[in-house]
Amino acid sequence: MLELQTAILALPFLMCCGGGFHKDKNQTAYLMGIIPAILSFYKEANQRATEKEALMREHKLFSTIGRTCWTGQVLPESFLDHDVFLCCKTTSEPFEHDAYFVKIKTPTQSWMIHFAPEGKLVLEGIFIENDDAKILKAGKVTPEILMRIDKMVHATNFSHCLRNSEHITRYIFEETWESMQMQIGGKIRKYFESILAPEHKRLLATMPSDLVSIESPEENQPLFNHTQMVSFEHIAKDGLKLTDKAYNLVLVGPTGAGKSMLTNLLFNRSVCETKSKESSAAVTRTFQVVQGKYTCDETITINVVDTMGCCDQYVEDEDAISHLSNAIFAEGSKIDKVVIMVSNTPISAANKKALKALLDSLHYSRIKDNVIFLYNKTEKLDYEEKIALVERMGKDLDVDINHKIQVAKPDGMLEIISHFKAGRAVGVDTANLDSEESKKTILFLKEALLPQCASVLQSPKRIGMGEGCCIQ
């Protein structure tokens, strides 16, 4: 790259020193005018080539974990309870974007955690304050922040798209892994859009593998004690295809609507990671199939498909739906229930468009008995408020929230048919899932979403799916 720049810059001089045509001043002026554009082109090409190599590496931090990384420096315990700031500064190198850093201020010294030019995350003292830096958030240093700093410092596997300064500093400060600049239309996203493949987009707000805590759901304690739910077996690995031999439930909805919490309630275990705090990054970046056994009149296999946030800020809807359908649907696949979940109205234009497109692709008018609409996080609202929100959800999505869905319950040699409306407001007290409000919601979810008898697997109303998310 340096040799190329030198050659381009020397070109006008060589032309002026030559004879004939090369002494044309207009030609020299023209070349002097296009040289910056040529240099910019090659600089961008070089930067994208470097980032392409970073995208191909394993999605890990390659960081040094543990206190040993602080040897010879001020120990992080000395930072406790001091002021901490999430900051950013606009830079033009190597292209225009916002560079993020964390600043810790003690009575004697200010410290900055940032990426050094060589791409290594470092902690160093600040001797000259960044007057033009923006302070986005402020707080106090907690033991949790110190623990996250420990995990981050000396990280070397830098990537503008997957592991940039914003990802790192937001994780330290907020325990989220996201970069607003990598959302659709963001500064960094636009710069590298041409080299992002679908598999890269699905990692844009996904925690590096060496940050993900390893905890088996089998070892988790039950979330509540008042009713029997699905017995967790495992989270299915790649290659699983939904079949007609299992009861298959697909959860769809915008990021943050509560799909992961719903999965946890169905299994009465913490099988999916959730965030109690608000976060625009989807916790479930792609999808996962949680599998277990459920006993009604017989014991049957249950598959709960926890999808990525509909209308995700990082992945286009077409890519998300295509990846999901190609990964888990095959000839002969059946879906028993599709759960559309929202937690805000009016539903944003982008989310509304995505959900309507999905319903159209499923031919909603033909499968009304299989689609349930849940307005989540209403545990603190009164009855009238809940009804109003459900009606607004139905209007936004242009669906029949009053459609009555039949439920067949075994009663000896007979089956008793009951009904519930397709649209429902739900909500639980996450701090007390054995409270009356929580019990009411959990029992409804059990009745509406889980099979009451094994004969449902022979029902002609099951949605027949083929590859490409097509109804058969």
Side-chain angles (χ1 to χ4, degrees):
M1 183 66 182
L2 181 61
E3 292 80 0
L4 177 63
Q5 292 176 351
T6 303
I8 292 173
L9 291 171
L11 185 59
F13 174 77
L14 295 174
M15 294 185 69
C16 290
C17 292
F21 170 78
H22 297 297
K23 291 184 178 180
D24 189 329
K25 292 183 179 179
N26 291 332
Q27 183 73 6
T28 301
Y30 169 73
L31 286 171
M32 289 296 292
I34 67 169
I35 282 175
I38 295 173
L39 285 173
S40 176
F41 172 81
Y42 280 102
K43 180 180 178 181
E44 290 182 15
N46 183 63
Q47 192 62 48
R48 291 189 178 100
T50 301
E51 180 61 21
K52 205 166 187 178
E53 293 178 3
L55 290 171
M56 295 176 67
R57 295 196 293 268
E58 190 175 358
H59 186 37
K60 299 181 73 172
L61 286 172
F62 297 163
S63 59
T64 301
I65 305 298
R67 294 286 168 187
T68 54
C69 62
W70 294 92
T71 301
Q73 298 190 28
V74 175
L75 294 176
E77 282 80 359
S78 66
F79 295 159
L80 270 176
D81 299 323
H82 289 302
D83 293 329
V84 60
F85 305 92
L86 176 64
C87 309
C88 75
K89 180 180 179 181
T90 301
T91 179
S92 59
E93 290 298 328
F95 56 91
E96 186 172 331
H97 68 288
D98 294 328
Y100 280 66
F101 61 93
V102 170
K103 183 171 77 170
I104 298 174
K105 193 170 185 179
T106 69
T108 57
Q109 175 81 65
S110 290
W111 298 83
M112 180 168 64
I113 301 166
H114 70 114
F115 272 110
E118 66 271 18
K120 182 178 180 180
L121 193 73
V122 297
L123 167 75
E124 62 183 13
I126 302 176
F127 300 99
I128 301 177
E129 293 285 345
N130 284 290
D131 294 333
D132 54 347
K134 298 177 184 177
I135 296 177
L136 304 179
K137 287 191 177 183
K140 297 291 184 180
V141 178
T142 64
E144 291 76 21
I145 286 179
L146 291 181
M147 180 184 68
R148 292 195 288 272
I149 291 174
D150 239 4
K151 292 180 179 180
M152 293 287 101
V153 77
H154 295 335
T156 56
N157 196 21
F158 179 83
S159 161
H160 283 292
C161 296
L162 303 184
R163 300 169 295 276
N164 64 36
S165 63
E166 186 178 2
H167 285 117
I168 296 284
T169 54
R170 286 192 184 277
Y171 176 80
I172 290 173
F173 204 90
E174 305 170 333
E175 201 182 2
T176 60
W177 193 268
E178 59 181 323
S179 171
M180 307 303 183
Q181 298 176 94
M182 279 306 299
Q183 291 182 0
I184 296 169
K187 291 181 181 179
I188 301 178
R189 176 68 172 265
K190 287 192 289 189
Y191 193 85
F192 292 110
E193 187 73 57
S194 62
I195 66 170
L196 287 174
E199 59 268 25
H200 302 141
K201 294 177 183 179
R202 290 192 289 272
L203 292 174
L204 291 181
T206 301
M207 289 269 189
S209 59
D210 45 2
L211 278 187
V212 178
S213 61
I214 302 173
E215 181 181 8
S216 171
E218 297 167 311
E219 300 171 358
N220 293 339
Q221 295 299 311
L223 301 176
F224 49 87
N225 301 303
H226 52 81
T227 189
Q228 178 187 351
M229 302 299 281
V230 184
S231 296
F232 172 81
E233 289 194 331
H234 67 280
I235 296 176
K237 304 298 183 183
D238 293 341
L240 174 94
K241 297 288 185 179
L242 301 184
T243 72
D244 60 350
K245 305 299 182 185
Y247 183 90
N248 300 313
L249 183 66
V250 178
L251 312 182
V252 183
T255 296
K259 300 181 299 298
S260 295
M261 184 62 189
L262 174 56
T263 303
N264 292 342
L265 293 177
L266 293 174
F267 286 88
N268 196 11
R269 289 286 189 280
S270 295
V271 296
C272 294
E273 182 184 1
T274 62
K275 293 287 183 191
S276 57
K277 68 187 80 172
E278 293 183 4
S279 170
S280 61
V283 177
T284 306
R285 183 89 263 119
T286 52
F287 70 89
Q288 61 183 5
V289 181
V290 187
Q291 198 169 78
K293 297 290 185 184
Y294 182 68
T295 301
C296 39
D297 56 343
E298 297 179 24
T299 299
I300 59 179
T301 298
I302 304 286
N303 291 318
V304 177
V305 183
D306 184 9
T307 68
M308 72 164 60
C310 179
C311 204
D312 188 271
Q313 297 102 318
Y314 297 92
V315 182
E316 289 81 356
D317 299 311
E318 296 80 3
D319 289 342
I321 293 174
S322 174
H323 175 61
L324 175 66
S325 60
N326 292 333
I328 65 175
F329 295 141
E331 295 299 324
S333 292
K334 299 286 186 181
I335 293 179
D336 295 277
K337 287 288 188 293
V338 176
V339 180
I340 306 292
M341 177 175 275
V342 302
S343 59
N344 287 295
T345 53
I347 300 172
S348 71
N351 286 340
K352 188 188 304 183
K353 178 182 176 183
L355 291 171
K356 281 188 172 183
L358 176 64
L359 290 169
D360 288 343
S361 70
L362 292 172
H363 303 289
Y364 165 68
S365 61
R366 290 161 44 186
I367 61 165
K368 286 186 177 182
D369 285 346
N370 303 83
V371 186
I372 298 171
F373 302 91
L374 300 180
Y375 195 105
N376 194 24
K377 304 181 182 179
T378 63
E379 61 273 10
K380 295 181 180 179
L381 304 181
D382 61 33
Y383 178 77
E384 288 74 18
E385 290 173 313
K386 292 179 180 181
I387 292 297
L389 289 174
V390 171
E391 289 178 349
R392 180 61 184 268
M393 172 178 62
K395 184 177 180 181
D396 282 355
L397 297 178
D398 194 23
V399 295
D400 183 5
I401 51 99
N402 292 311
H403 174 72
K404 291 183 177 180
I405 299 176
Q406 291 187 354
V407 177
K409 297 181 179 180
D411 183 20
M413 299 296 292
L414 303 174
E415 284 187 352
I416 298 176
I417 304 298
S418 61
H419 301 82
F420 65 88
K421 290 184 179 181
R424 177 78 173 234
V426 295
V428 295
D429 178 0
T430 55
N432 183 11
L433 293 175
D434 286 304
S435 69
E436 289 305 314
E437 180 72 16
S438 297
K439 284 182 181 179
K440 185 178 178 180
T441 290
I442 292 169
L443 291 175
F444 166 75
L445 294 173
K446 179 177 180 177
E447 179 175 316
L449 304 185
L450 298 178
Q452 303 299 314
C453 53
S455 61
V456 70
L457 298 182
Q458 280 74 51
S459 172
K461 291 185 177 181
R462 302 182 80 193
I463 306 173
M465 304 296 294
E467 293 187 11
C469 204
C470 299
I471 290 184
Q472 297 179 318

